[in-house]
Amino acid sequence: MYVYADNAATTKLRPEALEAFVRTAEEYYGNPSSLHTAGQRAKEELNRCRERVAAALGGTAREIVFTSGGSESDNQAILSAAYFGARKGKRKIVSTAIEHHAVLHTLEKLKKEGFEIVLLPVGERGIVSAADAEREIDDDTCLVSVMLANNEIGTIQPVKEIGAICRARKVPFHTDAVQAVGHMPVNVKELNCDYLALSAHKFGGPRGVGALYVRTGTPLKNLIEGGAQENGRRAGTENLPAIAAMTVALETSLSRLPAYTKRVSALRDELIDNLSKIPHCALNGDREARLPGNVSFCFEGIEGESLLLLLDEEGICASSGSACTSGSLDPSHVLLAIGRVHDVAHGSLRLTLGEDTTEEDVAYLSEKIPRVVEYLRNMSPVWRDLKEGKRTYIL
Ligand SMILES: *Cc1c(COP(=O)(O)O)cnc(C)c1O
């Protein structure tokens, strides 16, 4: 048996997207900046993609900038608002403690440049409070940035409410919607956002392509100098095959969204129920306000990394919030933000289900994971201490 349960890391390319990629590469080989027929045909196709992506998000074509993915879109939105704000003497940015590193590391860079960064807490449920955000916004605030759905624990944030507050206070608002697009309804008008980041490979499109929605009238700084592509907002020859594949992946995801939400949420709930029976474990993040495919747990007395390796031997591809694999011993900032202590945060497991996940997959995960957890606990000195009462259980 083989189960791919790491869809938050990346998704399999949809066949429709692959087909669009190949067809576009063959048919529209011209450079959209070239004045000849082949170039102009490519340019027309690029603009059709732009219109379709805009329509899928509730915006207009001029508000869409194609980028290399979520990280670039987040960087461009945040740096644009920050530098534009600084020109008017505004140097405060309000965000949350659970943002993706594409946001957090950009904010750290700005902090070194003298910006004041406020990261709002998210409480045990992993959800930021709109009232907390409102309290932090003042006349010095040049940007509020709150993700729509978290990549580790799947929690959905009150972006619509925070966006409305920002709009009323005339403060630019960015949302990292990379985990949300294709997995829940996303409409830029309803969300009241000025910037919105998305990435194709999180919803069945190819890697290395994404988009940034920029509301009309919102400042945008060019991060890549060069040609006048993307209306002078992002230099570099457009990756048209990837953009076309992303467009098709987005439309396919949206057409399947109601059925996907219903089916995958049911599988998620079943898996959460089954894994909750493991002693001394806890679900990470709110049970209700979470993405359809996200299942994230902490298990006491084990290391997430060992768990991943053993699960991989059983044919299960999963992920852990522990950053041990990246050479750092710091546990996930998201798990710490919801109040997990270091030891517990190290024993985390993230399973992210997707379009291809079946009932059989969930049955297999539900059978294997408790066994592997028990096997690891039987070898763990920490677990022995817990059982012998030399340490106290946290979960
Ligand atoms: C994956 C991800 C990103 C980064 O997107 P890339 O296209 O891989 O650069 C940013 N934010 C969130 C929430 C993500 O899940």
Side-chain angles (χ1 to χ4, degrees):
M1 198 70 189
Y2 169 77
V3 179
Y4 182 73
D6 202 13
N7 284 281
T10 198
T11 56
K12 209 169 116 186
L13 192 63
R14 290 178 182 276
E16 299 87 346
L18 177 61
E19 194 267 332
F21 189 99
V22 173
R23 183 168 37 78
T24 308
E26 279 172 356
E27 277 182 37
Y28 299 99
Y29 48 81
N31 185 324
S33 298
S34 298
L35 293 178
H36 49 61
T37 310
Q40 290 310 298
R41 285 191 68 233
K43 186 177 191 159
E44 282 160 20
E45 179 60 10
L46 177 66
N47 287 337
R48 279 192 291 273
C49 289
R50 198 184 307 284
E51 268 160 30
R52 286 160 67 186
V53 169
L57 299 172
T60 60
R62 285 196 68 86
E63 295 174 315
I64 301 298
V65 178
F66 292 123
T67 66
S68 68
S71 300
E72 185 186 330
S73 296
D74 281 332
N75 273 259
Q76 195 173 7
I78 293 166
L79 295 174
S80 294
Y83 295 145
F84 186 79
R87 278 202 256 150
K88 298 194 286 178
K90 296 176 189 240
R91 295 185 150 262
K92 179 174 175 180
I93 301 174
V94 179
S95 188
T96 80
I98 60 167
E99 298 297 311
H100 188 273
H101 283 145
V103 169
L104 285 183
H105 290 169
T106 307
L107 296 178
E108 278 167 27
K109 164 187 150 87
L110 289 169
K111 191 172 177 183
K112 289 191 195 118
E113 295 175 17
F115 284 84
E116 181 196 352
I117 311 297
V118 175
L119 299 181
L120 300 168
V122 293
E124 257 176 71
R125 293 167 62 219
I127 299 176
V128 72
S129 135
D132 283 354
E134 180 157 32
R135 222 170 292 123
E136 282 295 343
I137 296 172
D138 61 19
D139 292 340
D140 290 332
T141 309
C142 60
L143 175 69
V144 174
S145 181
V146 176
M147 71 196 328
L148 185 45
N150 182 265
N151 45 302
E152 287 187 41
I153 59 175
T155 50
I156 295 164
Q157 307 301 317
V159 161
K160 191 174 157 178
E161 291 78 2
I162 296 173
I165 293 164
C166 292
R167 188 64 51 86
R169 302 283 297 267
K170 297 193 167 57
V171 173
F173 177 55
H174 168 56
T175 187
D176 173 345
V178 174
Q179 285 292 327
V181 170
H183 301 271
M184 60 182 271
V186 173
N187 180 296
V188 292
K189 297 268 152 40
E190 276 173 25
L191 294 175
N192 303 303
C193 57
D194 299 299
Y195 305 96
L196 179 142
L198 63 89
S199 177
H201 75 99
K202 304 292 175 74
F203 53 81
R207 319 287 147 82
V209 63
L212 177 63
Y213 160 83
V214 189
R215 195 164 81 99
T216 303
T218 310
L220 194 69
K221 186 181 146 56
N222 193 359
L223 299 188
I224 302 175
E225 302 298 337
Q229 290 93 352
E230 299 300 292
N231 291 315
R233 296 181 290 184
R234 202 266 183 189
T237 304
E238 302 87 343
N239 186 351
L240 189 55
I243 291 168
M246 169 168 73
T247 305
V248 169
L250 180 57
E251 288 174 347
T252 309
S253 305
L254 298 188
S255 71
R256 299 200 184 145
L257 193 56
Y260 167 85
T261 307
K262 191 158 174 268
R263 196 181 71 83
V264 177
S265 303
L267 292 175
R268 170 201 65 194
D269 291 342
E270 188 186 337
L271 185 57
I272 290 177
D273 286 341
N274 292 344
L275 298 184
S276 296
K277 290 176 196 145
I278 297 172
H280 305 286
C281 78
L283 180 70
N284 295 317
D286 191 74
R287 171 125 198 189
E288 310 294 327
R290 71 192 298 135
L291 287 170
N294 182 287
V295 175
S296 170
F297 274 92
C298 279
F299 301 105
E300 194 152 12
I302 59 169
E303 285 289 339
E305 205 183 27
S306 324
L307 183 57
L308 284 191
L309 296 176
L310 288 184
L311 289 177
D312 193 38
E313 281 178 23
E314 301 286 351
I316 296 169
C317 297
S319 155
S320 171
S322 130
C324 298
T325 40
S326 56
S328 131
L329 283 173
D330 294 338
S332 138
H333 63 284
V334 176
L335 298 177
L336 294 180
I338 62 167
R340 301 282 181 236
V341 298
H342 276 64
D343 285 356
V344 166
H346 275 303
S348 70
L349 177 70
R350 179 187 74 180
L351 301 154
T352 41
L353 316 181
E355 185 117 345
D356 294 338
T357 309
T358 62
E359 186 71 51
E360 290 72 44
D361 292 343
V362 169
Y364 186 72
L365 294 169
S366 304
E367 183 210 321
K368 286 293 174 192
I369 294 168
R371 287 199 200 168
V372 174
V373 168
E374 191 181 77
Y375 173 82
L376 284 172
R377 280 176 172 171
N378 285 337
M379 301 193 307
S380 152
V382 173
W383 185 251
R384 192 190 53 223
D385 287 354
L386 286 164
K387 272 205 311 195
E388 291 174 359
K390 291 179 190 155
R391 267 179 195 247
T392 43
Y393 290 107
I394 298 162
L395 301 180

